[in-house]
């Protein structure tokens, strides 16, 4: 690790991460709250019709597009009203992890990987619930609940995979073939020469392939 990177990390831990921050609590909030919402929505389903199941793949694709656009634009360019995403991602996350140093070192470093709880609540309340209510109104209650369940499950998938890319590559989860391949793509994205142009999907590179921003090499260069 270069001296400037290690100095940045030390400064970030000292000046940005609140003293009372607990990585494990952050992890529990993200996955505990997210799973609770998913389970609650699934328990509300009643006699789902064959066509209603289409909500799952359609929401998956919608979430993949939202991930792509959100990362490509709001997280890599300052957008009015969403500047906090740009500052946290381009300003902090990309400085904290270079393509040569992708691993976090302590549980406190989870602060720079996971979305803060307030943003997670914002996403669910502002993006997931209103669309779920609209779909319920337009189609059926099952469609609304399936939408919210899939959207929140996708968000958890995002957090889990992104966390895996910044954990030691030789962990059990990190060695899974899919995670290893996707980590290579995200590692390329962390190269400052590539980050504004390539690999904006954090999970499955569907939109990257569709919009011509898919970049694959062996990972570290
Ligand atoms: Zn990252
Ligand atoms: Zn990025």
């Amino acid at each position: 690790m270069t001296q400037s990177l290690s100095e940045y990390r030390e400064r970030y831990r000292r000046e940005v991460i609140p003293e009372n921050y607990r990585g494990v609590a952050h992890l529990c909030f993200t996955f505990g709250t997210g799973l609770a919402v998913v389970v609650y929505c699934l328990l509300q389903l009643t006699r789902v019709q064959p066509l209603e199941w289409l909500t799952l793949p359609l929401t998956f694709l919608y979430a993949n597009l939202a991930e792509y656009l959100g990362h490509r634009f709001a997280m890599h360019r300052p957008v009015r009203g969403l500047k906090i995403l740009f500052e946290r991602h381009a300003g902090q996350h990309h400085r904290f992890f270079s393509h040569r140093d992708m691993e976090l070192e302590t549980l406190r470093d989870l602060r720079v990987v996971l979305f803060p709880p307030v943003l997670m609540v914002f996403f669910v309340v502002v993006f997931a619930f209103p669309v779920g209510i609209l779909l319920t109104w337009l189609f059926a209650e099952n469609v609304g609940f399936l939408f919210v369940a899939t959207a929140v499950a996708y968000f958890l998938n995002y957090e889990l995979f992104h966390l895996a890319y910044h954990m030691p590559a030789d962990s059990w989860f990190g060695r899974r073939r899919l995670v290893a391949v996707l980590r290579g793509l995200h590692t390329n994205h962390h190269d400052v020469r590539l980050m504004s142009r390539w690999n904006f999907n954090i999970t499955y590179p569907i939109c990257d392939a569709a919009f011509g921003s898919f970049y694959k090499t062996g990972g570290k260069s």
Side-chain angles (χ1 to χ4, degrees), residues 154-195:
Y154 190 99
F155 175 78
L156 296 182
N157 189 171
Y158 173 109
E159 290 288 60
L160 182 69
F161 278 17
H162 191 211
L163 182 57
Y165 309 154
H166 292 292
M167 296 281 283
D170 57 3
S171 66
W172 179 87
F173 191 56
R175 282 185 280 115
R176 298 308 94 197
R177 174 129 185 82
L178 176 65
V179 174
V181 169
L182 295 177
R183 181 196 295 105
L185 301 179
H186 190 61
T187 301
N188 291 333
H189 173 73
H190 268 272
D191 186 335
V192 283
R193 296 163 299 180
L194 307 175
M195 71 173 184

Side-chain angles (χ1 to χ4, degrees), residues 128-145:
F129 284 164
V131 179
I133 291 166
L134 181 69
L135 292 175
T136 299
W137 183 66
L138 286 175
F139 302 106
E141 213 170 68
N142 281 340
V143 175
F145 282 119

Side-chain angles (χ1 to χ4, degrees), residues 21-23 25-31 33 88 110-111 114-125 155 159:
Y21 175 80
R22 296 287 176 271
H26 192 173
L27 208 56
C28 289
F29 177 86
T30 298
F31 290 95
T33 312
R88 278 190 58 95
L110 286 171
R111 167 70 170 62
L114 300 171
F115 277 100
V118 66
L119 270 182
M120 178 181 167
V121 172
F122 174 80
F123 288 147
V124 173
V125 172
F155 175 78
E159 290 288 60

